[in-house]
Every structure is written in C-alpha cells, then in structure tokens.
C-alpha cells in the first residue's frame, strides 16, 4: 500500500510538472505568435497592396478584391483571437483551444496566399513577375517570424507556399526552371529545420523555466523555514547599499519597523569603526565577504552581528546575519583571561612579557624602559592567618593603589602570588627611580580598611633598567629579580637598585651551587666537632657536629656561604642525611658516655624520610638513641602542616633528644616552648657576647636558665670565648657551655680518646680541666672526712 501510494504521488507530481510545462509552452507560443503577427501585419498589408497595384490591369478586379478581402479577414480574425485571451491567466484547456483556432486561421491565411501566386503567375511579365517573386519569397520567409514557435502552422505555411511558388515557377519558365525549383526546395527545407530547432529551444526553455521556478520555490520555502527556525536572518541591498525586501525577522533583530528599514542604508545600522568601513567597502565594490563582525547600538549594551553576503546577477547583494553577542562576550572573556589577572584585573605575566618585549624591541625606546619588581613582605602569613578571601581582597587593593600611581601608558601587572611588576618608560636617573619606588611602598604601607578591621602590610622593590644600550626582556627581568632579592635580603620595606655587584653575587651563588653538587658527589664535605662541657663538673657532656667544606680551589668554605644555597636548592636533604650517618659512624667508636648533637634544617624536618634515615643510622652503628640530640630552630616550628610536628614526635619516640637552638632571638620563642617539650635550650651567643658589660643580657640569661629549670629542660650557652663569661654563666645558673674558649670545632680524630680530648682542649681551656681535677679532689676529701 505504501509503495502504491508513493507511486501515485509520484505520478501526480509528474503530471503536474507536464501540465506546467505545457501551459508555459502554450503561453510562450501565444506571446511569440502575437508578437510575430503584429510585426508581420504591416509587411503583409503592404505586400497585398503591391500585388493589387501591379496586377490591377492584368486580372479581374473582382478576383483581386475578393482575395484581398479574404486575406484581411484572416488577419483580423487572427488578431481578434489573439486579443481574446490572456496567456498568463487563462486555464490550460482554454489556451489549448485558442491555440488551435489561431493555427487554423493562420493555416487558412497561408492557403489564401498559396492561391494567389500561381494565379498571378499566368499573367505576370517583366516588373510584375519580379515583384511577384520577391513578395512570394518574403511571404515564405515569414514562417520564421510568425510561425517559429508553432510547428503545425509553420509546416502548412511552408508546404502551401512552396507548392504555390513551384507552380508559379513552372507557369513562368516551364520545366526549364528546374534549378529554381531545386533552390526553392532547399530553402523550404532550411526554413522547416529552422522552425523545428526554434520549437525545440522553446520546449527546452519552458522545461528549464519550470525547473528554475520549482528550484526557486524550493529555495524560498527553505529560506522561509530557515528564517523561521534558525538564529540567522536574511537581508538584501540594492546597488546603492540600501535595504530591500526587509523580512520580519530582520526588522525584529534591528528593533525597527520593516517600513522604516526599507530603502535605508545598511551601514546606518552599525556603529562607526573599522568593521563598518570594511562593510561599506564590500557593498560599494560588490565583493563577496564572510563572517564580518560589526557593532550594533542597543539600549542595554553594544551588540555584535556577523554578516556574510555575495553579489547577485541583478546588481543586488544578498546575505545572512546573525547575532553573535554571546559568542563575542565569551571570546572577549577568554581574551581577557589570557592577558589579564582574573583576581585583580591587572595585566598577567603573558601580557606583561609581551609589552616588555615590544618596548625593548624599539632601539630608541629601550633605554627608557624601567622595571620595578614588588613583593609583599610576609604576605603568606597574612594569607594563612586571616584567610585566602581576605588575602585576595588585599591583593586587589594593592593592585588598585599601584595603578593609581602610574600614567595611562604605563603597565602594572600581577605576576603571581603577591608579586607585582610595574613597567615604566622614563629617562629619570637613579635618584628619581628610588623616589618613585618609595612612593609605591608608601601607598602599600597605608592602612587597609576591610570589614571594619585595619590591616597594615609592607613590600620590597627591586629596580632595573637595561645595563647596556640593548638588552632582551629575559635579561631585564633577571636584573629586576636580582634587585628584588637584594632588597628582601636587607629586610622588610626596602628598595634595591640593580648594579653589577648583584650580578657577581648571583654568579658566585650559581657557582657555589654547582660546586656544592660536585662536593657531595666527590666526598669533599667533612664534619668537625665542638665539645660541650658541664659547668659544674668540667667534663665533656657532648659534641656538636658541624659541617665543613674543603674546596680544592676556594679552600675552606664557611657554612654561612653554602648552607643557605643548599637549603634553597634542596641539596640540604641529601647533605643532612650524610651528616647524620657520618656523625654516628665516627663517634660510635669514641670513649665516654657523651651525646652527639646534630643540626636539622627546616627542609630536613619536612622530609618524609627523616625518621627512616635516623633509624637506619642508629641501628647500623649501634648508637644509643638517648645519646643522640637534634637541634632545630624556631623556623622549623613556624612551618604550617603536620609533617614537621609528626617527625619531631617520631624522633622523640625513638628515644632521641630535641634541643631548641638560638633561643631568645626569634619572635615567639616562649610560645614554642609551650607547644613542644624540648629537652634542651641553647642560649644564643648574642646574649653571651656582652654578658659581662650588659645587665640586660645577664637578666635575660638568668630568666632563660630559671625558665628551663622550671620546665625540666637543660640550658646550654653558646659562643663562650672568655673565662669571665664562663664564670658568670655558671653563677647565672647555666648548666653547660661551648665555645672557642673551650675548644674550636676540629676533625673527629681529635676526640677519639680521653688523651686526645685533653690535647684538643688546650690554652684557656686547660683551666677548665684543672677545675674539674680540683673539684674531684675536693669531693674525695669530703668523702674521707665523712668517713
């Protein structure tokens, strides 16, 4: 059933198409026939008049008059039939009937002409015969003009007139005129072929027109559906770029009535700019274009249209438009995120690098480029204690203040975290640049009012400009980074201007880092030991392991020259693991019940492998864990996270001791004593150095020793260099001491035996040993007296 219905529908469509072709073909034939008849009307009357004039005296007047009347009748009938019907609106059946009537009338007219030529040939001589021949050929040729799209009437016309003219030729010349008869036959066949070819062209043209109309109808239907369902809309402009045939959707998109838009220049809908100028150029030159985005004014905000168009054969241009405001906003947002910091709205690192490279690429401008690197002091502490939301608000406020201090063409960028960069173009000297930097620090130093609370922060700035006539962006940023590092090294709220000394220092640091890596691999590191004595007994209570580096070219490198580099580069972890193993390996064979103190850096304490390393070293050398003491500074406890505290607890669980080094010089030493139960407090040498002259130092040391005693901790003084310091520390309650007075750090073989210890502790230290011996004698004497 479905197949039958499909076939039936296909037949209906085929029938409808055939009717359309037939109707169009008939309409065109009628129009063509009417046009040809009109054009031939005057020549036909003229030919008839010429024949009457030439043969008026040769044939009966009644015959000529009857023939002329009949010819006029057929012409009038043909004209009347043609005017009675409108080919564009008449039904197909009526057109077909009217067409057949016209063919009959024209056929009768052709037969009328065919009668007169043989009749007149019987009497034609001289000029009359020539006129008769010319008129007969002209009437025969009229088939191409009048009958070119009507094959039936054309065949009747050609056959009738060809036979009539052949008879006339035979009458005039007899059979001797056979060449003329052959030419006449050839000419008639050519006329018939021409009419047939023209008829075929007419049929093909009608079929092509129907196909074109169907395609156009399909296109119109699709365009209508497209405009109804798509987000795009259609538009058309004439040669002058004025809108034509404005659709309802286009009018709705433009938010104007269609009548208002009709004949309005298309470019008047858009805001001035380069895109509108390009559109005007395309419309003026009638160039095809695609995806041209232009701005459209709107009440709420600017909107964006994307236009495409191509020229048409009729001189117009047609195309489609689409509102791409949402896509453009998204693109602008993506572009903003690619070039600007999402938190502060300042330029990000990418845009900053791009602007810096562009500025340095111009030789005349390069010497004017000045770069400020600004880093907030201890911002991480603010961020961690007050929360990231508050920290973000502070960063935004800092960015706003910095932007208010620069000119419109200068650039403020946030490079990440709490680091900002300011790119200026100025010929100012060093003094003015430092003054400018002080202004930046001043606006940051001003209090911030957030949520009713007042916050104060500071920053450090490094300043750099190209050290030579030309430099690249990477070199200038490196110089600014070195200057910032130097500023922060001086303390908080400081400024540093780049100079060559910073570069040399940076190169030295890189060389130290490279050499230090080789030193670890080539076993150039060594450990020296400094004894710690008991101030009551004078005996050696322990040794502190101190790292030393013997460089083949530099000689002895001081710890303060390379430990910071090791800490920053992460080399401190493998170095620290080596120190733990080496210290326990060397001291495991020494005589005496002493402890060995080993310093741990903050990075070491954070290491997840620290406890395993200590455990393996203790077990490998059979060392009593109670004789191992690890010294840490308060910087270890300042670190966030649970790893440090957990590692310290695990070290305590192993049986090792924990000492707080450099006590008293930090910000929160007392709070750390409450947070962690240390076994020992080491009094910093700064309090020992002037203890003889400074009552404040004496009070501080006395307070520390009493505090340690109250908390069950031992107190050890560092940096003892005179006997007076030693005696005073003993009076103030200090239990142990170490320093150059007692013994400077020396290699481990100096303490392998008791004799070696006494030999190492020479000079002023011999008095301490003498004190120990005297005290032992006193104790023995008291024992005898008691006995």
């Amino acid at each position: 059933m479905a197949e039958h219905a499909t076939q039936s529908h296909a037949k209906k469509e085929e029938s409808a198409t055939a009717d359309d072709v037939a109707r169009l073909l008939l309409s065109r034939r009628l129009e063509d026939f009417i046009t040809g008849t009109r054009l031939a009307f005057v020549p036909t009357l003229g030919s008839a008049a010429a024949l009457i004039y030439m043969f008026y005296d040769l044939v009966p007047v009644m015959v000529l008059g009857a023939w002329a009347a009949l010819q006029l009748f057929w012409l009038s009938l043909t004209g009347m039939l043609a005017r009675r019907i409108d080919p564009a609106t008449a039904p197909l059946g009526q057109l077909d009937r009217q067409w057949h009537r016209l063919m009959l009338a024209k056929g009768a007219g052709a037969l009328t002409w065919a009668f007169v030529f043989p009749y007149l040939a019987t009497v034609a001589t001289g000029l009359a015969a020539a006129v008769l021949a010319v008129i007969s050929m002209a009437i025969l040729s009229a088939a191409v003009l009048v009958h070119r799209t009507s094959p039936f009437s054309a065949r009747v016309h050609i056959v009738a007139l060809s036979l009539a003219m052949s008879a006339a030729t035979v009458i005039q010349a007899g059979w001797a005129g056979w060449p003329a008869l052959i030419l006449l036959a050839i000419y008639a066949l050519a006329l018939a072929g021409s009419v047939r070819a023209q008829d075929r062209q007419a049929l093909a043209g009608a079929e092509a027109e129907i196909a074109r109309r169907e395609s156009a109808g399909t296109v119109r239907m699709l365009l209508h559906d497209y405009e109804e369902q798509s987000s795009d809309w259609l538009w058309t402009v004439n040669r002058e770029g004025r809108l034509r045939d404005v659709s309802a959707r286009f009018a709705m998109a433009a938010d104007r009535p269609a009548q208002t838009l009709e004949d309005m220049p298309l470019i008047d809908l858009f805001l001035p700019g380069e895109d509108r100028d390009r559109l005007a150029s395309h419309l003026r030159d009638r160039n095809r274009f695609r995806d041209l985005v232009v701005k459209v004014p709107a009440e709420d905000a600017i909107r964006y249209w994307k236009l495409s168009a191509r020229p048409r054969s009729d001189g117009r241009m047609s195309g489609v438009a689409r509102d791409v405001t949402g896509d453009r906003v998204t693109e602008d947002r993506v572009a903003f995120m690619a070039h600007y910091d999402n938190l502060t709205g300042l330029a990000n690192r990418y845009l900053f690098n791009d602007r810096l490279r562009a500025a340095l690429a111009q030789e005349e401008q390069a010497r004017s480029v000045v770069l400020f690197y600004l880093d907030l002091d201890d911002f991480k502490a603010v961020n961690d204690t007050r929360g990231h939301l508050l920290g973000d608000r502070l960063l935004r406020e800092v960015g706003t203040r910095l932007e208010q201090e620069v000119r419109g063409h200068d650039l403020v960028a946030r490079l990440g975290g709490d680091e900002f960069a300011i790119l200026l173009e100025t010929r100012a000297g060093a003094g003015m640049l430092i003054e400018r930097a002080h202004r930046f620090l001043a606006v940051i130093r001003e209090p911030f009012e957030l949520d009713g609370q007042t916050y104060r922060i500071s920053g450090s700035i490094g300043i750099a400009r190209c050290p030579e006539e030309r430099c690249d962006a990477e070199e200038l940023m490196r110089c600014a980074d070195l200057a910032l590092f130097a500023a922060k090294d001086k303390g908080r709220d400081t400024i540093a201007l780049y100079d060559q000394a910073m570069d040399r220092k940076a190169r030295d640091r890189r060389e130290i880092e490279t050499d230090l890596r080789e030193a670890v691999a080539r076993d150039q590191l060594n450990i020296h030991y400094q004894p710690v004595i008991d101030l009551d007994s004078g005996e050696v209570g322990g040794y502190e392991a101190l790292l030393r580096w013997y460089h083949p070219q530099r000689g002895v490198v001081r710890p303060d020259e390379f430990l910071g580099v090791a800490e920053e580069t992460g080399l401190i972890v493998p170095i620290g693991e080596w120190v733990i193993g080496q210290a326990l390996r060397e001291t495991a064979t020494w005589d005496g019940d002493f402890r060995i103190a080993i310093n741990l850096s903050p990075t070491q304490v954070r290491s997840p492998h620290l406890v395993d390393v200590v455990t393996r070293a203790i077990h490998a050398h059979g060392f009593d864990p109670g004789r191992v003491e690890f010294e840490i500074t308060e910087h270890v406890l300042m670190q966030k996270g649970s790893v440090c505290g957990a590692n310290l607890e695990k070290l305590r669980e192993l049986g090792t001791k924990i000492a707080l080094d450099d006590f008293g010089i930090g910000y929160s030493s007392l709070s750390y004593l409450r947070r962690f139960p240390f076994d020992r407090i080491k009094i910093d040498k700064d309090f020992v150095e002037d203890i003889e002259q400074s009552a404040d130092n004496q009070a501080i040391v006395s307070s520390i020793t009493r505090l340690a005693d109250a908390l069950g901790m031992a107190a050890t003084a560092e940096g003892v260099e005179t006997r007076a310091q030693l005696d005073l520390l003993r009076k103030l309650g200090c239990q142990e001491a170490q320093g150059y007075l007692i013994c400077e750090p020396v290699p481990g073989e100096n303490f392998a035996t008791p004799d070696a210890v006494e030999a190492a502790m020479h000079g002023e230290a011999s008095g301490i040993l003498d004190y120990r011996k005297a005290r032992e004698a006193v104790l023995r004497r008291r024992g005898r007296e008691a006995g």
Side-chain angles (χ1 to χ4, degrees):
M1 289 293 291
E3 183 178 358
H4 177 73
T6 302
Q7 293 177 353
S8 177
H9 181 69
K11 289 180 179 178
K12 288 181 179 179
E13 288 187 347
E14 184 177 353
S15 176
T17 302
D19 290 345
D20 291 338
V21 173
R23 177 183 179 83
L24 180 61
L25 184 59
L26 277 174
S27 298
R28 288 191 172 180
R29 283 177 172 174
L30 279 169
E31 292 172 356
D32 219 20
F33 185 81
I34 293 170
T35 301
T37 300
R38 289 172 180 170
L39 293 174
F41 184 76
V42 174
T44 301
L45 290 179
S47 297
L51 288 177
I52 294 172
Y53 175 77
M54 295 300 298
F55 291 93
Y56 181 81
D57 295 330
L58 300 178
V59 295
V61 177
M62 292 298 294
V63 176
L64 286 177
W67 172 82
L70 185 59
Q71 190 67 36
L72 183 61
F73 170 76
W74 294 124
L75 286 173
S76 301
L77 180 61
T78 303
M80 181 183 65
L81 291 173
R83 286 193 299 271
R84 285 182 58 184
I85 191 167
D86 183 5
T89 60
L92 178 60
Q94 185 179 355
L95 281 176
D96 188 57
R97 289 190 297 272
Q98 196 73 354
W99 175 251
H100 284 89
R101 294 190 188 104
L102 283 171
M103 293 302 98
L104 291 174
K106 291 303 292 183
L111 293 175
T112 304
W113 277 107
F115 163 77
V116 76
F117 293 139
Y119 174 72
L120 296 178
T122 59
V123 296
T125 58
L127 179 59
V131 171
L132 181 63
V134 171
I135 291 174
S136 62
M137 291 301 298
I139 296 300
L140 177 62
S141 301
V144 179
L145 181 64
V146 180
H147 305 278
R148 59 188 181 132
T149 58
S150 53
F152 173 76
S153 64
R155 285 193 292 269
V156 172
H157 183 89
I158 293 172
V159 172
L161 289 180
S162 296
L163 292 175
M165 291 173 66
S166 298
T169 301
V170 172
I171 292 171
Q172 284 282 312
W175 293 109
W178 65 267
L181 294 176
I182 294 175
L183 289 175
L184 182 60
I186 294 173
Y187 190 58
L189 290 174
L191 285 175
S194 177
V195 170
R196 184 180 180 185
Q198 291 186 67
D199 182 62
R200 288 180 177 177
Q201 290 180 358
L203 179 61
E207 292 175 345
E209 177 65 17
I210 292 300
R212 187 193 66 78
R213 290 180 181 180
E214 289 179 347
S215 299
T218 302
V219 170
R220 282 194 299 271
M221 179 185 67
L222 292 176
L223 290 177
H224 177 74
D225 292 344
Y226 173 80
E227 203 169 28
E228 287 294 327
Q229 301 177 16
S230 174
S231 59
D232 298 355
W233 52 87
L234 308 175
W235 57 272
T236 300
V237 294
N238 61 12
R239 291 181 180 274
E240 290 74 33
R242 295 179 177 272
L243 288 166
R244 289 289 187 267
D245 304 328
V246 178
S247 65
R249 281 183 55 80
F250 188 91
M252 183 182 301
D255 196 23
R256 301 185 188 184
Q259 296 82 354
T260 304
L261 293 173
E262 191 71 29
D263 201 41
M264 174 182 177
L266 176 64
I267 61 171
D268 287 354
L269 294 175
F270 311 115
L271 291 174
E274 294 182 1
D275 297 329
R276 174 177 154 167
D277 294 341
R278 282 197 293 270
L279 174 61
S281 176
H282 287 311
L283 295 178
R284 182 179 61 253
D285 300 335
R286 301 184 72 252
N287 292 330
R288 180 176 180 174
F289 62 90
R290 287 182 58 86
D291 298 338
L292 177 61
V293 178
V294 289
K295 298 178 181 178
V296 183
E299 292 183 0
D300 51 351
I302 295 176
R303 305 195 66 80
Y304 296 88
W305 285 8
K306 181 183 287 186
L307 304 178
S308 300
R310 61 184 304 170
R312 293 177 12 182
S313 58
D314 60 359
R316 295 186 174 191
M317 290 189 71
S318 294
V320 295
R322 170 183 292 185
D323 190 315
V324 293
T325 304
D327 295 340
R328 186 59 178 261
V329 170
T330 301
E331 292 174 3
D332 291 346
R333 180 61 178 166
V334 171
F336 178 84
M337 293 175 65
H339 295 87
Y340 293 90
D341 176 52
N342 193 43
L343 175 63
T344 62
L346 301 175
N348 61 11
R349 185 180 292 273
Y350 177 85
L351 180 57
F352 165 75
N353 290 340
D354 189 59
R355 283 281 300 274
L356 179 60
R357 290 189 178 94
L360 294 177
Q362 304 178 29
E363 185 173 354
E364 296 181 358
Q365 187 179 0
R367 288 298 297 166
S368 301
V369 175
V370 181
L371 183 57
F372 294 76
Y373 267 6
L374 185 149
D375 190 82
L376 302 181
D377 297 325
D378 292 333
F379 178 76
K380 186 177 183 301
V382 175
N383 210 25
D384 292 342
T385 56
R386 300 296 184 180
H388 291 282
L389 293 179
L390 178 66
D392 290 347
R393 293 177 65 184
L394 276 175
L395 290 175
R396 283 194 292 269
E397 290 291 333
V398 169
T400 300
R401 292 185 182 184
L402 291 177
E403 276 201 309
Q404 292 173 349
E405 293 298 317
V406 300
R407 298 164 298 182
H409 61 275
D410 296 328
L411 182 70
V412 179
R414 179 177 176 238
L415 304 184
D418 59 342
E419 187 174 355
F420 296 83
I422 305 166
L423 183 62
L424 304 181
E425 293 182 21
T426 178
R427 293 282 185 176
M432 292 298 295
L433 295 180
I434 292 176
E435 180 64 27
R436 192 69 178 274
H438 276 298
R439 180 58 191 165
F440 292 143
L441 292 183
V443 298
I444 294 174
R445 203 181 300 120
E446 294 176 2
F448 294 85
E449 297 289 339
L450 300 175
D451 297 334
Q453 299 290 326
T454 300
Y455 299 92
R456 297 179 182 274
I457 58 175
S458 61
S460 300
I461 292 180
I463 312 170
R465 70 185 339 155
C466 287
E468 302 174 356
E469 288 299 323
R470 294 294 300 273
C471 68
D472 56 22
E474 287 72 15
E475 175 66 14
L476 185 58
M477 289 189 288
R478 187 186 69 84
C479 295
D481 200 46
L482 289 176
L484 177 61
F485 184 81
K488 295 182 75 65
D489 196 43
K490 291 191 294 183
R492 300 159 60 92
D493 200 23
T494 55
I495 296 168
L497 184 65
Y498 171 81
D499 58 27
Q500 295 295 331
M502 296 179 186
D503 210 15
R504 290 192 296 271
K505 184 177 179 180
R507 285 198 299 269
D508 290 343
R509 183 191 176 283
R510 288 195 297 271
E511 291 176 1
I512 288 177
E513 178 183 347
T514 302
D515 293 347
L516 186 57
R517 293 183 185 277
E518 294 182 1
V520 174
R522 296 180 180 181
D523 199 23
Q524 294 176 356
L525 299 179
N526 206 338
I527 298 179
H528 285 194
Y529 299 88
Q530 187 175 39
V532 180
I533 66 169
D534 186 295
L535 293 182
D536 286 335
S537 66
E539 296 180 350
V540 176
Y543 299 91
E544 182 177 359
L546 300 171
L547 184 63
R548 293 294 183 267
W549 178 13
Y550 293 97
H551 192 278
Q553 285 79 36
R554 297 172 182 265
V556 178
V557 183
R558 298 194 309 273
D560 58 352
E561 293 181 6
F562 70 87
L563 285 181
V565 175
E567 183 78 20
E568 293 171 10
T569 59
L571 286 172
I572 195 66
V573 173
I575 291 175
E577 293 177 355
W578 177 85
V579 169
I580 292 172
Q582 184 69 11
L584 297 186
R585 181 185 301 110
E586 288 185 355
T587 58
T589 59
W590 294 1
D591 295 332
D593 185 19
F594 57 86
R595 71 179 183 276
I596 181 67
I598 303 172
N599 291 279
L600 295 179
S601 74
T603 304
Q604 281 182 274
V605 181
R606 285 199 306 270
S607 173
H609 308 294
L610 174 63
V611 178
D612 293 338
V613 170
V614 173
T615 302
R616 287 196 300 268
I618 289 175
H619 290 167
H621 305 295
F623 215 98
D624 180 7
R627 296 171 53 203
V628 179
E629 184 175 88
F630 292 105
E631 297 183 4
I632 66 171
T633 64
E634 68 176 49
H635 293 289
V636 172
L637 299 177
M638 288 174 63
Q639 300 178 87
K640 295 294 181 181
S642 58
V643 177
C644 293
N647 279 343
L648 293 178
E649 290 293 346
K650 291 177 181 178
L651 291 177
R652 292 291 296 270
E653 292 173 2
L654 284 177
T656 63
K657 304 294 190 294
I658 306 295
L660 180 60
D661 199 9
D662 299 334
F663 182 81
I665 63 171
Y667 296 105
S668 308
S669 296
L670 294 178
S671 66
Y672 294 132
L673 293 181
R674 180 177 57 84
R675 288 171 52 185
F676 190 85
F678 292 96
D679 297 288
R680 183 177 309 279
I681 297 175
K682 299 196 72 173
I683 303 172
D684 189 80
K685 61 182 179 180
D686 289 345
F687 299 116
V688 175
E689 183 177 4
D690 297 325
I691 194 170
E692 299 167 75
Q693 294 81 23
S694 174
D696 292 340
N697 285 3
Q698 294 176 18
I700 291 172
V701 171
S702 177
S703 299
I704 292 174
T705 58
R706 289 197 300 270
L707 177 64
D709 184 62
L711 295 176
M713 303 176 187
T716 300
E718 297 180 293
V720 179
E721 296 185 358
T722 66
R723 184 60 181 264
Q725 292 173 348
L726 188 69
D727 293 339
L728 187 55
L729 289 170
R730 184 187 300 112
K731 293 178 182 179
L732 293 174
C734 196
Q735 298 170 331
E736 291 184 337
Q738 69 181 98
Y740 277 29
L741 172 69
I742 302 167
C743 182
E744 64 182 23
V746 293
E749 57 265 21
N750 294 56
F751 304 109
T753 64
D755 293 338
V757 174
E758 291 197 19
M761 298 171 62
H762 60 287
E764 292 290 337
S766 62
I768 302 173
L769 298 179
D770 293 342
Y771 166 79
R772 184 188 65 188
K773 295 175 180 178
R775 182 172 179 76
E776 290 175 352
V778 171
L779 291 176
R780 286 196 298 271
R781 183 175 65 254
R782 289 179 179 176
R784 288 195 300 271
E785 292 175 353

